[in-house]
Amino acid sequence: MIGPVDSSKVPRYAGPATFARLPRLDQVDKADIAVVGVPFDTGVSYRPGARFAPAAVREASRLLRPYNPGLDVSPFERAQVVDAGDIVGNPFDIGKAITEISEQATELLDTGAKLVTVGGDHTIALPLLRSVAAKHGPVALLHFDAHLDTWDTYFGEPYTHGTPFRRAVEEGILDTSALSHVGTRGPLYGRADLSEDARLGFGIVTSADVMRRGVDEVVEALRDRIGSRPVYVSIDIDVLDPAHAPGTGTPEAGGMTSRELLEILRGLAGLNLVSADVVEVAPAYDHADITSIAASHVAYDLVSLLAMGVGE
């Protein structure tokens, strides 16, 4: 097992900025978990800039350490974790980009690795789900976001960062008996947004629900809904309140804290997590790297959850 660069020999601010200072994919024989970037944001409807997130999150991840006390696991000792570089999609053609992202994600999954993907905007969840479902069949989805992302079109376009999960349901790549949004809030276009979302099979835990019910009760409900199904976790960093994640494209007041998000994720230990993503960090709107730091810790906990399942 090859782990991160030893910070007692090379200080954290020196050397290449791979995720958590881990080895590159080409430096190992086989990877159990691959952290991969997708610098694509052509699908955004408001503030652009998520194409710069993979680099910013890698830079923020320099301070991550090998032992995760929140989950009592040393993920880089339990599994071979690598930085697989970036998946590249055509920045001028969303349809082509979706195909290219799916093809490259499939190549990585075919090596036997599970993916933690750093976007990029939420459009990328659709091609990632296509690749995961090709391997596992329709998967349960746990979606953390301020928004539903189940709208039909924007300006007549069916593929944007606000439509990936409607397309995924239509394509039959999601297990519609186990779909959940967590952290939703903010104004909608109308009540029909909620009824359409429910028709697709989603249950909703709003950010207010998290505050009123508490983390433990929310975790219990999510675990009951997911059961033993293979589950994909997709996290839009705007699920966090702008106080905790100002650097994002469509911020909404009244969100979750980073502590709440991390504790809910840790409550998923033991579930059949197959891959995950963290998206919508827009570094140009960040302050003191708050958002990139939060995203790096979220990705670290996702890696830790996947590492706990290696060999089981």
Side-chain angles (χ1 to χ4, degrees):
M1 214 77 77
I2 303 176
V5 174
D6 186 344
S7 62
S8 69
K9 297 179 180 177
V10 181
R12 297 185 180 281
Y13 47 80
T18 59
F19 183 82
R21 309 177 85 210
L22 287 162
R24 302 187 313 269
L25 180 60
D26 62 357
Q27 293 176 309
V28 304
D29 294 328
K30 186 178 185 300
D32 298 305
I33 302 164
V35 180
V36 61
V38 183
F40 176 86
D41 65 0
T42 309
V44 300
S45 58
Y46 196 51
R47 302 195 303 200
R51 65 184 61 184
F52 300 110
V57 173
R58 286 184 174 108
E59 190 65 33
S61 75
R62 286 178 178 272
L63 199 54
L64 295 173
R65 299 176 181 89
Y67 173 65
N68 186 337
L71 286 164
D72 187 24
V73 66
S74 297
F76 312 136
E77 291 181 7
R78 184 156 183 145
Q80 181 61 72
V81 189
V82 301
D83 188 320
D86 288 341
I87 288 173
V88 178
N90 188 320
F92 300 105
D93 188 319
I94 293 178
K96 280 187 179 179
I98 287 172
T99 298
E100 291 164 349
I101 293 166
S102 183
E103 289 173 349
Q104 293 168 68
T106 297
E107 289 178 8
L108 285 171
L109 290 168
D110 284 347
T111 68
K114 294 182 178 180
L115 305 185
V116 174
T117 305
V118 180
D121 75 55
H122 226 151
T123 309
I124 73 169
L126 177 61
L128 294 171
L129 283 166
R130 285 178 180 174
S131 298
V132 168
K135 186 177 182 69
H136 298 280
V139 294
L141 174 69
L142 183 50
H143 170 221
F144 293 86
D145 203 318
H147 311 97
L148 301 172
D149 289 2
T150 53
W151 285 277
D152 190 14
T153 63
Y154 281 112
F155 290 86
E157 294 299 321
Y159 298 106
T160 76
H161 75 159
T163 65
F165 303 120
R166 179 183 285 257
R167 298 289 91 82
V169 170
E170 291 170 349
E171 293 180 16
I173 57 179
L174 294 180
D175 181 341
T176 55
S177 66
L179 306 179
S180 302
H181 302 298
V182 180
T184 56
R185 63 191 186 277
L188 299 170
Y189 295 106
R191 289 181 180 175
D193 291 344
L194 294 172
S195 59
E196 277 292 291
D197 189 76
R199 183 184 64 79
L200 294 171
F202 281 90
I204 295 177
V205 179
T206 67
S207 62
D209 291 332
V210 174
M211 180 269 293
R212 292 192 176 96
R213 296 168 61 185
V215 166
D216 291 344
E217 185 178 325
V218 168
V219 166
E220 183 179 0
L222 294 173
R223 292 183 69 96
D224 286 346
R225 189 170 179 87
I226 295 165
S228 61
R229 299 171 179 86
V231 60
Y232 184 93
V233 175
S234 186
I235 302 173
D236 186 326
I237 205 66
D238 75 17
V239 72
L240 300 180
D241 189 86
H244 298 268
T248 191
T250 49
E252 304 280 359
M256 291 164 52
T257 67
S258 52
R259 179 178 59 245
E260 287 171 329
L261 175 57
L262 291 171
E263 286 302 315
I264 291 174
L265 289 177
R266 291 165 186 164
L268 305 179
L271 294 183
N272 184 16
L273 178 61
V274 292
S275 281
D277 66 55
V278 186
V279 299
E280 298 285 356
V281 173
Y285 305 102
D286 209 358
H287 303 281
D289 300 329
I290 293 172
T291 314
S292 296
I293 290 168
S296 73
H297 280 261
V298 167
Y300 177 63
D301 270 21
L302 291 168
V303 167
S304 297
L305 287 168
L306 287 168
M308 292 172 74
V310 170
E312 292 185 359

